[in-house]
Amino acid sequence: MKYADFIASVLLVVGGLNWGLVGFFDFNLVTFIFSNAVVVKVVYGAVALSALWQVYGWYKSGCKSCCTK
């Protein structure tokens, strides 16, 4: 699963940087690179699945790193 975790992390960084560009400069890098609307939706879907994968990982681990007393 380490490979899936790495891919999810990369996609989350890409998604975060894209949202930063949209928020600060009103520039959407994903639509700039991929002008095809279907490809853009696939990229956004992959980022969303990566976020769900990360949340699942936190749930599975019991979030021990942030919830210990």
Side-chain angles (χ1 to χ4, degrees):
M1 287 297 152
K2 300 225 183 259
Y3 185 71
D5 293 333
F6 176 75
I7 297 295
S9 297
V10 169
L11 285 171
L12 287 174
V13 168
V14 168
L17 291 174
N18 189 56
W19 274 109
L21 288 171
V22 169
F24 290 122
F25 304 110
D26 198 26
F27 177 73
N28 192 331
L29 184 63
V30 175
T31 56
F32 179 76
I33 294 173
F34 306 108
S35 58
N36 186 340
V38 174
V39 176
V40 170
K41 287 184 179 186
V42 168
V43 171
Y44 288 154
V47 171
L49 290 175
S50 296
L52 290 174
W53 180 260
Q54 185 67 39
V55 169
Y56 172 72
W58 290 337
Y59 175 77
K60 186 177 174 186
S61 70
C63 197
K64 295 172 186 157
S65 63
C66 63
C67 297
T68 57
K69 294 182 181 180

